[in-house]
Amino acid sequence: MSKLILNTEFNLYEKSGRAYCSSLQVAEEFKKRHADALRDIEKLDCSKEFRERNFALSSYRSEQNKLLPKILMNKDGFIFLVMGYRGKKAARFKEEYIRRFNLMDDFIKSLQTARLEFPAFTNAISDSHELPKSYHFTNEIDMINRIVLGVSAKQVREEKGIKAGESIRPYLSAEQIKSIETLQRVDIGLIISTPDFQVRKKILSDYFNRLVLSKKLIA
């Protein structure tokens, strides 16, 4: 069973590669009693299949250390639940949470792709931070992409019509992929030995320029 992890950057939970919020968060943001939020979920007029797919029973410890139930819901479950909540404040929280879900979904997809392509690199980034956040990964990955490609992965996706979170590798040349992997290997050691991001960037840029120059001289 996958562990439930709170991502403090987005204030959403992650489990099995999906983003969730809890009934406790819904109750807090929409100024409801938690019992009422749970009742709202229970009374939803949705199919059994939709409920099983988008809502999950979980638990939490109360201030009195009692184990009490809470419900986790993904973006579809959240939207279905809060459709009935009215008012300007409610509308603002709906927009904010949908925005967070979208950002965290994109981050999860991008990170999963990076882990599959080069797990040692993402592990090094994770190990170098006590509480790793999404920008720790995206900043490091984009730095290398910009050095090799001249643009970020996001810009490559926009230029080529690639969906957010999808790997850009199929759209790169073999030489570009090899250069990115080479810099990732070098950066694994630098992440540990050189905490300053700008210093790492300069070292990697100089290293890449020497690689390019040496290939030109050989050619």
Side-chain angles (χ1 to χ4, degrees):
M1 183 69 68
S2 176
K3 185 179 179 182
L4 184 67
I5 301 170
L6 177 64
N7 186 307
T8 55
E9 182 179 0
F10 303 107
N11 197 29
L12 292 173
Y13 293 93
E14 179 185 352
K15 185 177 182 180
S16 301
R18 300 190 71 185
Y20 293 86
C21 72
S22 75
S23 51
L24 283 169
Q25 291 172 309
V26 169
E28 180 181 356
E29 298 290 6
F30 291 90
K31 307 302 179 187
K32 288 176 167 282
R33 295 171 58 244
H34 187 227
D36 292 335
L38 290 175
R39 192 174 299 113
D40 289 344
I41 296 169
E42 184 180 347
K43 292 169 64 177
L44 286 175
D45 188 18
C46 61
S47 67
K48 179 182 178 183
E49 291 77 12
F50 183 90
R51 187 178 294 274
E52 290 177 347
R53 189 167 61 248
N54 300 296
F55 296 91
L57 179 63
S58 186
S59 61
Y60 72 101
R61 289 281 177 184
S62 69
E63 293 180 358
Q64 294 76 33
N65 202 34
K66 290 183 179 179
L67 194 63
L68 300 175
K70 69 177 180 182
I71 300 292
L72 298 175
M73 65 203 84
N74 60 23
K75 184 173 71 172
D76 289 346
F78 172 80
I79 292 173
F80 197 97
L81 170 64
V82 302
M83 277 193 301
Y85 294 171
R86 304 300 180 190
K88 289 185 177 180
K89 288 186 178 179
R92 188 167 66 249
F93 284 127
K94 290 179 195 179
E95 288 183 10
E96 172 61 18
Y97 265 78
I98 291 170
R99 184 185 72 83
R100 287 191 213 168
F101 267 112
N102 289 335
L103 288 173
M104 186 161 165
D105 281 342
D106 288 347
F107 165 64
I108 290 171
K109 289 175 186 175
S110 296
L111 186 55
Q112 285 176 331
T113 298
R115 282 172 174 161
L116 286 172
E117 291 174 349
F118 211 91
F121 177 60
T122 54
N123 288 342
I125 298 171
S126 181
D127 291 344
S128 67
H129 299 281
E130 186 175 348
L131 293 172
K133 298 184 181 296
S134 66
Y135 63 83
H136 292 139
F137 297 92
T138 54
N139 285 355
E140 207 74 25
I141 292 167
D142 274 347
M143 172 183 66
I144 291 176
N145 285 332
R146 287 179 185 277
I147 291 171
V148 176
L149 308 175
V151 294
S152 67
K154 181 180 179 181
Q155 288 172 296
V156 173
R157 291 188 182 97
E158 289 174 351
E159 290 171 3
K160 299 185 179 295
I162 308 170
K163 292 180 181 179
E166 186 178 338
S167 175
I168 64 172
R169 285 199 172 203
Y171 302 86
L172 303 181
S173 68
E175 192 63 38
Q176 287 172 326
I177 293 172
K178 184 178 179 182
S179 295
I180 288 172
E181 290 179 343
T182 298
L183 291 192
Q184 285 177 335
R185 291 190 186 94
V186 175
D187 199 25
I188 288 174
L190 290 176
I191 288 169
I192 299 169
S193 65
T194 311
D196 190 292
F197 179 84
Q198 294 301 327
V199 175
R200 286 201 306 278
K201 181 179 178 181
K202 186 176 187 313
I203 293 172
L204 289 170
S205 296
D206 291 345
Y207 182 80
F208 178 69
N209 289 334
R210 288 197 299 273
L211 283 178
V212 172
L213 181 60
S214 66
K215 288 172 185 174
K216 285 182 179 178
L217 290 175
I218 293 172

